[in-house]
Amino acid sequence: ATHPLALAPVASPPATVDGFVREFLLNLNMERGVALSSATETDTYMALAATVRDYLVARWLEDQRRQREDQRKAVCYLSAEYLLGRQLDNNLLASGLTEIATEALAACGIDIDTMRAHEVEPGLGNGGLGRLAACFVDSLATLSVPSIGYGIRYEYGIFRQVFRGGEQIEKPDAWLALGSPWEFRHPESAQTVSFAGHTETYDDDGVIRSRWVPAWSVRAVPYNYMVPGYQNGRVNTLRLWSAEATKAFDLRTFNSGDYVEAVRAQTFAENISKVLYPEDSTPQGKELRLQQQYFFVAASIADYMTKVLPEDFDLEDLPERVIFQLNDTHPVIAVPEMMRVLVDERKLDWDAAWAITQKCFAYTCHTLLPEALEVWSVDLLGRLLPRHLEIIYRINDEFLLRVRERFGDDEQRLRDMSIVSEQRAVRMAYLATVAGSKVNGVAELHSQLLRERVLHQFDEMMPEKFTNVTNGVTPRRFMRLANPDLSELITAALGTGWLTDLERLRELESYAEDPDFRAAFASVKAANKRRLNDVLMKRDGFEIADDHLLDVMVKRLHEYKRQTLKLLHIVTLYERVVSGRVAASDLQPRTFIFGAKAAPGYAMAKRVIHLINAVGSVVNNDPRLEGRLKVVFPPNYNVTLAERVIPAADLSEQISLAGKEASGTGNMKFALNGALTIGTDDGANVEIRELVGDDNFFLFGMSEPEVEELWAAGYRPGEFAQADDELRRALDLIGSGAFSDGDRSTFEPVVSNLMYDDRFMVLADYTSYIAAQERVDAAYADRDAWTRSAILNVARTGFFSSDRSIRDYIDRIWHTQPAR
Ligand code: 26Q
């Protein structure tokens, strides 16, 4: 290039109100083809998004160049889910443009809040695991860690939940309907991903090698998203893959003259990235799901190896250059894929390839539930990925040799540790553990239980592989954006800087003793409740009374999380009043908020949703309660709603059976926003309680060892119902049809499941839970003392910033260089 403009670095528009207005109008006119006077809300939103993008692009291009030239080790985060939440506000905040944009839009007669509300969030995840990935890419960018997030651009994200007659109905989430202004499609950087076919050996100049002759392939087209760091001038990349038909596929079928078949084939290819599977446990071995996993992982590895890595790169040095972090087992097929690339394509010998591969992967486990551990049948794997199955067999053979060397001919142990089970299924968690350099759990207790239970024999053999990284959440989204008033109060007290150094919240401890600060803190909470009231009124017609304790349980519906325990508490309070044992006027007024989606195939979870709504409509309309108990269950709980609900909460319900919730991350968001937790000793609750202190946390229920003990002794839930009069009354009331117009059959499965099975020991923890709730009521009666506790929760939970989690990953797993 010779033109001076072409030689200059890419320039951002001027960061002034005038500059912003000019860029915005340019986008409105040139990109949307409309004048301001005739622009729709979608036009202005799209033009606004494009404008914010324009400010970030120069930085982004610079960082991409730096990434390519940088010799430092990079992190490739592989995740099948990214639950991003809305982008506009986050990107304004990160680029420091919020005020300028607000003024600029106002000058154009546009209210920025209307623009915020216009965005449909990309719901490309189920819950905790997907949201964690989104928090991590935020922190990676904020800490200037060279990194790329890889994932899938599902055309339909997590379903939209509506209620009909109190039952969950799933609607497609057409988040792309208006187009997504935050993405950049790059068809020229597409990768080809192949499937099925057979393997063969061939003579490669005297060396006998294996190769894969696939039967069909699809095109993986990347869509790049900007991930800006918080006001640090860094912009990382999130690369999400979309499946399209390959040209070859098209031509072959079109030329055969079968036009309809050719179009059908296109649809077949596009199916791969069509929809996010809405199950977040008990995965079914669905072929399409395996196709999705291999699709994004193969495209990502090819992208890294051919587009990011320099052409002449010496593969022996790969471990110094990259680490692939596996977000649960969903991307584990990357391990045999890397082996295939190194051995079959790059012609390394097996041992060299294996040494490299082992150093380039690390695995994060997110569960303890045995039914949630992913397995793929040998038949399916062999059909879809025949070469990968061969590679897995060889990895397993060599691994079992090492087990034999170490432990002798202990056949039981060999069967137990085999990656391929006797049921002819590949245990993906075992493959990940054997292949990776590290295995981490997501909270202290979880990591300990992984070592002692789920992966015990692997820990015996390779203890150095196991480590913990306690989860965290991004304070940018979950404090600064979700709770601007609290953020302002904190900044007024501490000055700036705490958002990227969250341990500084400690300095708030002394403010907890200041009556003026407590009053200010309490009025922030009150304002947040009113803000939530406005949102819920408009959204669903629910009211949140100012004087009610706001008691919140928001998370996926799962039996182990025990929404039914919360429900039994509500039914107990209700029963006390209608039976006349307690006067309504003696109740602490409370509003119970639920938010939960159930996997569409999870019948019990769906029935519990129905029951929550049924109890709600009875409780909310019974005049005997004098309006002192309300149950509010807004449908379609998502990141956007979380950002409204969490800052308003007084009480955070974290009531899973001890030993079942790997970590939880909602628990952290609530504490950081000044809610007190009622919770079991489970997941990260343990660490929250240690940090905030017993006086500021309502602990109840069995500990994990107590759970084990009761289970071993033979758990009989009926005995607990016998022993607690109120528990029996509550169960009877549900069973009597009191919440189903007298129909006893509607909720009978829920009641009899609790009475006769109760895998998650709801009844065993009921008495202790009710007693803890009574401590909550008593504590809330002294509002000022409660506020003090709430402030201490904020002050002492800075540990749960995802920045700290990422630093732990760097120190314990990635060993990447600190930022320049
Ligand atoms: C797997 C195979 C087939 C279909 C679906 C799946 C699948 C999808 C999503 C399995 C699991 C998930 C999601 C799991 C999840 O969200 N786990 C949560 O991860 C959080 C972040 O670490 C923890 O805080 C939670 O404790 C854990 O439940």
Short mmCIF file of all heavy atoms in Angstrom, two decimals, residues 81 126-130 132 277 279-281 283-284 289 293 328 330 366 372 374 376 442 471 560-561 661-665, ligand 1:
data_model
loop_
_atom_site.label_atom_id
_atom_site.label_comp_id
_atom_site.label_asym_id
_atom_site.label_seq_id
_atom_site.Cartn_x
_atom_site.Cartn_y
_atom_site.Cartn_z
N GLU A 81 -20.43 -24.37 25.49
CA GLU A 81 -21.43 -23.38 25.89
C GLU A 81 -20.77 -22.07 26.31
O GLU A 81 -19.75 -22.07 27.00
CB GLU A 81 -22.25 -23.90 27.10
CG GLU A 81 -22.89 -25.25 26.86
CD GLU A 81 -23.91 -25.63 27.94
OE1 GLU A 81 -24.18 -24.80 28.83
OE2 GLU A 81 -24.42 -26.76 27.86
N ASN A 126 -26.56 -23.59 29.02
CA ASN A 126 -27.64 -24.08 29.87
C ASN A 126 -27.73 -23.36 31.21
O ASN A 126 -28.82 -23.11 31.71
CB ASN A 126 -27.43 -25.57 30.15
CG ASN A 126 -28.03 -26.44 29.06
OD1 ASN A 126 -29.25 -26.56 28.98
ND2 ASN A 126 -27.19 -26.99 28.21
N GLY A 127 -26.57 -23.15 31.82
CA GLY A 127 -26.57 -22.62 33.18
C GLY A 127 -25.16 -22.35 33.63
O GLY A 127 -24.39 -21.71 32.90
N GLY A 128 -24.80 -22.90 34.78
CA GLY A 128 -23.54 -22.57 35.45
C GLY A 128 -22.29 -22.73 34.58
O GLY A 128 -21.44 -21.84 34.55
N LEU A 129 -22.20 -23.85 33.89
CA LEU A 129 -20.99 -24.11 33.12
C LEU A 129 -20.83 -23.12 31.97
O LEU A 129 -19.74 -22.62 31.71
CB LEU A 129 -21.04 -25.56 32.61
CG LEU A 129 -20.07 -26.04 31.55
CD1 LEU A 129 -19.74 -27.51 31.80
CD2 LEU A 129 -20.68 -25.90 30.17
N GLY A 130 -21.91 -22.80 31.30
CA GLY A 130 -21.86 -21.86 30.19
C GLY A 130 -21.61 -20.44 30.67
O GLY A 130 -20.87 -19.67 30.05
N LEU A 132 -20.02 -19.68 33.41
CA LEU A 132 -18.63 -19.64 33.87
C LEU A 132 -17.70 -19.34 32.70
O LEU A 132 -16.77 -18.53 32.82
CB LEU A 132 -18.25 -20.97 34.52
CG LEU A 132 -16.87 -20.97 35.18
CD1 LEU A 132 -16.90 -20.23 36.51
CD2 LEU A 132 -16.35 -22.39 35.39
N TYR A 277 -28.36 -28.43 23.05
CA TYR A 277 -29.07 -29.45 23.84
C TYR A 277 -29.39 -28.89 25.21
O TYR A 277 -28.50 -28.41 25.91
CB TYR A 277 -28.22 -30.73 23.97
CG TYR A 277 -28.41 -31.65 22.80
CD1 TYR A 277 -27.58 -31.59 21.69
CD2 TYR A 277 -29.45 -32.59 22.80
CE1 TYR A 277 -27.77 -32.43 20.60
CE2 TYR A 277 -29.64 -33.43 21.73
CZ TYR A 277 -28.80 -33.35 20.62
OH TYR A 277 -29.01 -34.18 19.56
N GLU A 279 -30.25 -30.33 27.98
CA GLU A 279 -29.98 -31.15 29.16
C GLU A 279 -28.68 -30.69 29.80
O GLU A 279 -27.68 -30.52 29.11
CB GLU A 279 -29.81 -32.63 28.78
CG GLU A 279 -31.09 -33.36 28.48
CD GLU A 279 -31.64 -33.07 27.10
OE1 GLU A 279 -30.84 -33.01 26.15
OE2 GLU A 279 -32.86 -32.85 26.99
N ASP A 280 -28.69 -30.50 31.10
CA ASP A 280 -27.43 -30.16 31.75
C ASP A 280 -26.99 -31.25 32.73
O ASP A 280 -26.14 -31.05 33.57
CB ASP A 280 -27.50 -28.79 32.44
CG ASP A 280 -28.48 -28.77 33.58
OD1 ASP A 280 -29.30 -29.69 33.68
OD2 ASP A 280 -28.42 -27.82 34.38
N SER A 281 -27.62 -32.42 32.61
CA SER A 281 -27.15 -33.61 33.33
C SER A 281 -27.81 -34.80 32.65
O SER A 281 -28.58 -34.62 31.72
CB SER A 281 -27.54 -33.54 34.80
OG SER A 281 -28.93 -33.38 34.91
N PRO A 283 -26.84 -36.89 30.34
CA PRO A 283 -26.82 -36.78 28.89
C PRO A 283 -27.23 -38.10 28.23
O PRO A 283 -26.87 -39.18 28.67
CB PRO A 283 -25.36 -36.46 28.58
CG PRO A 283 -24.58 -36.89 29.78
CD PRO A 283 -25.50 -36.76 30.95
N GLN A 284 -28.03 -37.99 27.18
CA GLN A 284 -28.38 -39.14 26.36
C GLN A 284 -27.32 -39.24 25.27
O GLN A 284 -26.89 -38.22 24.76
CB GLN A 284 -29.75 -38.94 25.71
CG GLN A 284 -30.78 -38.32 26.64
CD GLN A 284 -31.34 -39.33 27.61
OE1 GLN A 284 -31.90 -40.35 27.21
NE2 GLN A 284 -31.15 -39.09 28.91
N ARG A 289 -25.33 -34.81 19.13
CA ARG A 289 -24.54 -34.16 20.17
C ARG A 289 -23.05 -34.46 19.99
O ARG A 289 -22.20 -33.59 20.12
CB ARG A 289 -25.03 -34.63 21.54
CG ARG A 289 -24.19 -34.23 22.71
CD ARG A 289 -24.41 -32.80 23.14
NE ARG A 289 -23.46 -32.47 24.21
CZ ARG A 289 -23.38 -31.30 24.80
NH1 ARG A 289 -24.18 -30.32 24.43
NH2 ARG A 289 -22.52 -31.09 25.75
N GLN A 293 -19.93 -31.89 19.18
CA GLN A 293 -18.68 -31.83 19.94
C GLN A 293 -17.48 -31.94 19.02
O GLN A 293 -16.55 -31.13 19.08
CB GLN A 293 -18.66 -32.94 21.00
CG GLN A 293 -19.73 -32.76 22.07
CD GLN A 293 -19.69 -33.82 23.15
OE1 GLN A 293 -18.98 -34.83 23.03
NE2 GLN A 293 -20.45 -33.63 24.21
N ASP A 328 -15.27 -29.15 31.00
CA ASP A 328 -15.92 -30.44 31.19
C ASP A 328 -15.53 -31.40 30.06
O ASP A 328 -14.60 -31.12 29.30
CB ASP A 328 -17.45 -30.29 31.31
CG ASP A 328 -18.03 -31.31 32.28
OD1 ASP A 328 -18.04 -32.51 31.95
OD2 ASP A 328 -18.45 -30.93 33.37
N HIS A 330 -17.20 -32.23 27.44
CA HIS A 330 -17.83 -32.01 26.13
C HIS A 330 -16.83 -31.85 24.99
O HIS A 330 -17.11 -32.31 23.89
CB HIS A 330 -18.82 -30.83 26.20
CG HIS A 330 -19.67 -30.83 27.45
ND1 HIS A 330 -20.20 -29.70 27.99
CD2 HIS A 330 -20.03 -31.85 28.27
CE1 HIS A 330 -20.87 -30.02 29.11
NE2 HIS A 330 -20.77 -31.31 29.29
N HIS A 366 -16.94 -30.56 36.23
CA HIS A 366 -17.98 -29.72 36.85
C HIS A 366 -19.07 -30.51 37.55
O HIS A 366 -20.13 -29.96 37.81
CB HIS A 366 -18.66 -28.85 35.79
CG HIS A 366 -17.76 -27.85 35.14
ND1 HIS A 366 -17.68 -26.54 35.55
CD2 HIS A 366 -16.89 -27.97 34.11
CE1 HIS A 366 -16.81 -25.90 34.79
NE2 HIS A 366 -16.32 -26.74 33.91
N ALA A 372 -24.17 -37.89 35.40
CA ALA A 372 -23.82 -36.75 34.54
C ALA A 372 -22.47 -36.96 33.85
O ALA A 372 -22.05 -36.14 33.05
CB ALA A 372 -23.79 -35.47 35.36
N GLU A 374 -20.13 -38.16 31.17
CA GLU A 374 -20.40 -38.47 29.77
C GLU A 374 -19.75 -39.78 29.34
O GLU A 374 -18.57 -40.02 29.62
CB GLU A 374 -19.82 -37.35 28.92
CG GLU A 374 -20.79 -36.77 27.95
CD GLU A 374 -20.15 -35.68 27.10
OE1 GLU A 374 -19.15 -35.07 27.50
OE2 GLU A 374 -20.69 -35.47 26.02
N TRP A 376 -19.65 -42.39 25.70
CA TRP A 376 -20.10 -42.60 24.32
C TRP A 376 -19.90 -44.06 23.97
O TRP A 376 -18.84 -44.63 24.24
CB TRP A 376 -19.33 -41.71 23.35
CG TRP A 376 -19.68 -40.27 23.51
CD1 TRP A 376 -18.91 -39.30 24.08
CD2 TRP A 376 -20.90 -39.62 23.09
NE1 TRP A 376 -19.56 -38.09 24.06
CE2 TRP A 376 -20.78 -38.26 23.46
CE3 TRP A 376 -22.06 -40.05 22.46
CZ2 TRP A 376 -21.79 -37.33 23.21
CZ3 TRP A 376 -23.06 -39.13 22.21
CH2 TRP A 376 -22.93 -37.78 22.58
N VAL A 442 -14.02 -27.52 40.79
CA VAL A 442 -14.40 -26.11 40.71
C VAL A 442 -14.69 -25.47 42.07
O VAL A 442 -15.15 -24.33 42.13
CB VAL A 442 -15.57 -25.92 39.73
CG1 VAL A 442 -15.09 -26.12 38.29
CG2 VAL A 442 -16.73 -26.86 40.03
N ASN A 471 -14.33 -21.61 41.42
CA ASN A 471 -14.99 -20.75 40.45
C ASN A 471 -15.04 -19.29 40.91
O ASN A 471 -14.84 -18.99 42.09
CB ASN A 471 -16.43 -21.22 40.22
CG ASN A 471 -16.52 -22.44 39.33
OD1 ASN A 471 -17.56 -23.10 39.26
ND2 ASN A 471 -15.45 -22.76 38.62
N TYR A 560 -31.33 -32.61 42.70
CA TYR A 560 -30.26 -32.46 43.68
C TYR A 560 -30.17 -31.04 44.25
O TYR A 560 -29.67 -30.84 45.36
CB TYR A 560 -28.91 -32.92 43.11
CG TYR A 560 -28.15 -31.90 42.28
CD1 TYR A 560 -27.41 -30.89 42.89
CD2 TYR A 560 -28.16 -31.94 40.89
CE1 TYR A 560 -26.72 -29.95 42.14
CE2 TYR A 560 -27.48 -31.01 40.14
CZ TYR A 560 -26.76 -30.02 40.77
OH TYR A 560 -26.08 -29.08 40.03
N LYS A 561 -30.67 -30.06 43.50
CA LYS A 561 -30.66 -28.68 43.99
C LYS A 561 -31.79 -28.43 45.00
O LYS A 561 -31.76 -27.47 45.75
CB LYS A 561 -30.76 -27.71 42.82
CG LYS A 561 -29.56 -27.77 41.87
CD LYS A 561 -29.72 -26.81 40.70
CE LYS A 561 -28.64 -26.96 39.64
NZ LYS A 561 -27.39 -26.25 40.00
N GLU A 661 -23.60 -30.42 44.62
CA GLU A 661 -23.37 -29.23 43.79
C GLU A 661 -21.86 -29.00 43.71
O GLU A 661 -21.22 -28.71 44.71
CB GLU A 661 -24.05 -28.02 44.43
CG GLU A 661 -24.03 -26.75 43.56
CD GLU A 661 -24.94 -26.85 42.35
OE1 GLU A 661 -24.47 -27.35 41.30
OE2 GLU A 661 -26.12 -26.45 42.46
N ALA A 662 -21.32 -29.11 42.50
CA ALA A 662 -19.87 -29.00 42.36
C ALA A 662 -19.35 -27.69 42.97
O ALA A 662 -18.42 -27.69 43.77
CB ALA A 662 -19.48 -29.10 40.90
N SER A 663 -19.97 -26.59 42.57
CA SER A 663 -19.56 -25.31 43.12
C SER A 663 -20.76 -24.41 43.35
O SER A 663 -21.05 -23.99 44.46
CB SER A 663 -18.58 -24.60 42.16
OG SER A 663 -18.47 -23.24 42.46
N GLY A 664 -21.50 -24.15 42.26
CA GLY A 664 -22.45 -23.06 42.29
C GLY A 664 -21.69 -21.78 41.97
O GLY A 664 -20.51 -21.64 42.33
N THR A 665 -22.33 -20.88 41.26
CA THR A 665 -21.74 -19.57 41.02
C THR A 665 -22.76 -18.48 41.34
O THR A 665 -22.38 -17.37 41.69
CB THR A 665 -21.27 -19.42 39.55
OG1 THR A 665 -22.30 -19.93 38.69
CG2 THR A 665 -19.99 -20.18 39.32
C1 26Q B 1 -23.56 -33.30 28.19
C2 26Q B 1 -23.75 -34.24 27.20
C3 26Q B 1 -24.90 -34.22 26.42
C4 26Q B 1 -25.83 -33.21 26.63
C5 26Q B 1 -25.63 -32.27 27.62
C6 26Q B 1 -24.50 -32.33 28.41
C7 26Q B 1 -24.31 -31.32 29.47
C8 26Q B 1 -24.55 -29.98 29.22
C9 26Q B 1 -24.37 -29.04 30.20
C10 26Q B 1 -23.87 -31.69 30.72
C11 26Q B 1 -23.69 -30.74 31.71
C12 26Q B 1 -23.93 -29.40 31.45
C13 26Q B 1 -23.78 -28.35 32.44
C14 26Q B 1 -23.29 -28.54 33.65
C15 26Q B 1 -23.17 -27.44 34.61
O1 26Q B 1 -23.65 -26.34 34.39
N1 26Q B 1 -22.52 -27.68 35.74
C16 26Q B 1 -22.35 -26.64 36.74
O2 26Q B 1 -21.11 -25.99 36.49
C17 26Q B 1 -20.96 -24.86 37.32
C18 26Q B 1 -19.68 -24.16 36.92
O3 26Q B 1 -18.58 -24.90 37.34
C19 26Q B 1 -20.96 -25.25 38.78
O4 26Q B 1 -20.92 -24.08 39.56
C20 26Q B 1 -22.20 -26.07 39.13
O5 26Q B 1 -22.10 -26.56 40.44
C21 26Q B 1 -22.36 -27.22 38.15
O6 26Q B 1 -23.57 -27.89 38.39
#
